Amino acid sequence: KIQKERRVVKDKKNGVLYIGHIPHGYYEGPMRTFLSQYGKIKRLRLSRSKKSGASKGYGFVQFEDPEVAAAVAEELNGQYVTGKVLKVDPMDPEQVHKNLWKGLKVKTLMRKDADIRINGHIQHHIELAKKSMEQTLMESIATERQINKKLG
């Protein structure tokens, strides 16, 4: 119990929380809305796949007030939200990697954008397949004409 109290006091320096087991559909916007009811959010980062942009199911949030962060961790840890039990833990300042918040100024990839990117990639392959089919068709037409010329 004493160690846990020390941990909470230590965490009051930064107010950073790890949030795990985030349900599907809780992206940056909904997460910000959900968490802002507890206090002012300084930074929010959800981990995403580099390939698809899909959420990996965990993220980090930093509240302006470290006391709010400690209260949120206590209240939300173990809460059942949309089919998953949230895991919310305060992070020690030493655990917060220097690059954790790097790239937040860049517009984050939302699922819709990821779908567009994936569909664009698929569309590219479809177009290549169409071109290949057209080329094969043109070659077969040319071959057929050559055969017809020879026959008569």
Side-chain angles (χ1 to χ4, degrees):
K1 189 174 182 180
I2 293 171
Q3 288 178 338
K4 190 172 185 178
E5 288 174 2
R6 283 184 189 163
R7 184 176 175 188
V8 171
V9 170
K10 204 183 222 185
D11 293 331
K12 288 185 180 180
K13 293 179 186 175
N14 64 3
V16 177
L17 301 177
Y18 162 82
I19 304 174
H21 306 285
I22 298 172
H24 179 71
Y26 277 79
Y27 305 120
E28 283 83 355
M31 280 299 290
R32 187 172 293 279
T33 304
F34 175 67
L35 294 170
S36 64
Q37 65 185 341
Y38 297 100
K40 189 164 172 118
I41 295 173
K42 188 173 181 180
R43 296 183 270 199
L44 173 69
R45 169 169 226 127
L46 294 185
S47 184
R48 293 186 165 277
S49 166
K50 289 179 183 176
K51 278 188 175 181
S52 67
S55 175
K56 290 184 177 181
Y58 68 93
F60 304 91
V61 64
Q62 183 175 22
F63 285 91
E64 296 267 338
D65 185 2
E67 291 178 5
V68 170
V72 168
E74 191 174 314
E75 185 174 331
L76 289 182
N77 191 36
Q79 283 281 2
Y80 185 80
V81 177
T82 320
K84 291 201 175 186
V85 178
L86 288 181
K87 179 172 174 54
V88 183
D89 288 322
M91 294 180 66
D92 293 331
E94 303 89 43
Q95 289 178 309
V96 179
H97 194 275
K98 64 180 181 176
N99 293 332
L100 176 63
W101 308 111
K102 185 178 177 182
L104 279 183
K105 302 257 186 219
V106 177
K107 188 175 181 181
T108 53
L109 196 67
M110 297 302 285
R111 185 69 192 158
K112 183 178 174 185
D113 296 336
D115 288 342
I116 290 169
R117 189 170 80 181
I118 291 167
N119 289 338
H121 182 71
I122 292 170
Q123 190 65 36
H124 171 72
H125 285 286
I126 290 171
E127 288 174 18
L128 287 177
K130 281 182 182 177
K131 286 180 183 176
S132 176
M133 287 172 53
E134 287 173 7
Q135 186 177 3
T136 305
L137 181 63
M138 295 303 274
E139 288 172 359
S140 66
I141 290 172
T143 306
E144 189 177 326
R145 283 183 184 161
Q146 288 175 352
I147 292 172
N148 286 338
K149 261 187 181 178
K150 287 181 182 178
L151 291 175

